[in-house]
Amino acid sequence: KKYFLLFLLIVVFALPGPAIAKTIGDEQPTSSKSSVFSNYELPYPGMLPDSPLYKIKVLRDKLILFLITEPQKKIEFHLLQADKGISSASMLLNKGNPSLAIQTALKAEHNMTLIPEQIRLMQSKPSGSMFDKLTDASKKHQEILSGMIKKAEGNEQKTLKQVLYFSQENLETLEKYEKKNPKRWNEWN
């Protein structure tokens, strides 16, 4: 009973709620040239990793991910986490915390890396609109990362370039998956 109450408190107080509806505005750096991908809006990340309560949010997210069984829902969750992570990284860099911003950006791109495995587990090929959304998100991440690189210095800039490279690799992987058309989607060789 005690554990159930603890679980309930964590879920109730840590649910994202209306913060998901907010989007990043002036906090995020953008590239100097206008981009067609700027229409993709990143969700407001809510609590940032520099908050003392952030570990509760991470615990909640791990619990939610554990409870999700459908690959489609896991893809949506990983995308949400990646979007929030890139938003958080940008905000942290603007707050003057580049090391935590880099760590957060790496974790965000790791969430994008997990998506192709969930696509592979789907029983049927995902819709083109899903791939469009994932592609737009990846391009938006790259736009944000490019802006962060311009603001960073030295080793931080070098590491952010690596994160951008990971993002580009993730996008290439998604594009390859979109073009695949096996007889049975979940039987990959």
Side-chain angles (χ1 to χ4, degrees):
K1 189 173 181 177
K2 192 186 315 183
Y3 292 112
F4 176 74
L5 288 175
L6 178 62
F7 170 76
L8 187 60
L9 284 172
I10 289 172
V11 170
V12 169
F13 288 112
L15 281 177
I20 288 178
K22 297 179 185 177
T23 57
I24 299 298
D26 298 332
E27 296 93 356
Q28 69 188 21
T30 56
S31 61
S32 57
K33 57 184 177 180
S34 63
S35 170
V36 248
F37 309 111
S38 61
N39 288 337
Y40 184 86
E41 292 185 0
L42 297 175
Y44 183 76
M47 191 182 312
L48 294 179
D50 60 354
S51 169
L53 299 176
Y54 188 75
K55 289 183 181 186
I56 294 172
K57 181 180 176 183
V58 171
L59 177 64
R60 181 224 40 210
D61 292 343
K62 287 181 180 183
L63 181 62
I64 290 171
L65 182 60
F66 176 75
L67 295 173
I68 298 173
T69 57
E70 296 175 38
Q72 171 78 28
K73 297 289 182 189
K74 280 194 178 192
I75 291 168
E76 292 169 5
F77 186 78
H78 286 308
L79 178 60
L80 178 64
Q81 295 306 312
D83 286 349
K84 285 182 175 184
I86 291 296
S87 296
S88 295
S90 177
M91 293 171 93
L92 289 165
L93 187 65
N94 288 339
K95 285 176 67 175
N97 195 342
S99 61
L100 189 55
I102 290 168
Q103 186 179 19
T104 304
L106 280 166
K107 288 178 183 177
E109 276 311 306
H110 176 68
N111 274 296
M112 291 300 287
T113 304
L114 298 172
I115 290 174
E117 175 62 19
Q118 294 304 314
I119 291 172
R120 189 184 69 75
L121 293 173
M122 293 180 75
Q123 295 298 316
S124 60
K125 186 172 182 178
S127 68
S129 63
M130 174 202 268
F131 281 111
D132 290 344
K133 183 175 181 177
L134 293 169
T135 299
D136 288 348
S138 291
K139 290 177 180 179
K140 183 65 173 187
H141 294 183
Q142 291 171 24
E143 180 183 328
I144 300 297
L145 289 166
S146 295
M148 290 174 67
I149 289 168
K150 290 176 185 175
K151 287 186 169 189
E153 299 172 355
N155 285 337
E156 296 157 354
Q157 195 174 54
K158 182 180 175 182
T159 307
L160 283 168
K161 285 180 182 179
Q162 287 178 312
V163 178
L164 179 61
Y165 172 76
F166 295 147
S167 181
Q168 292 165 344
E169 289 288 312
N170 287 336
L171 179 57
E172 286 179 25
T173 302
L174 287 170
E175 289 171 344
K176 286 178 188 173
Y177 271 64
E178 184 178 20
K179 292 176 185 172
K180 277 194 177 255
N181 194 11
K183 291 178 185 173
R184 289 186 52 183
W185 183 253
N186 62 346
E187 290 180 7
W188 292 66
N189 293 325

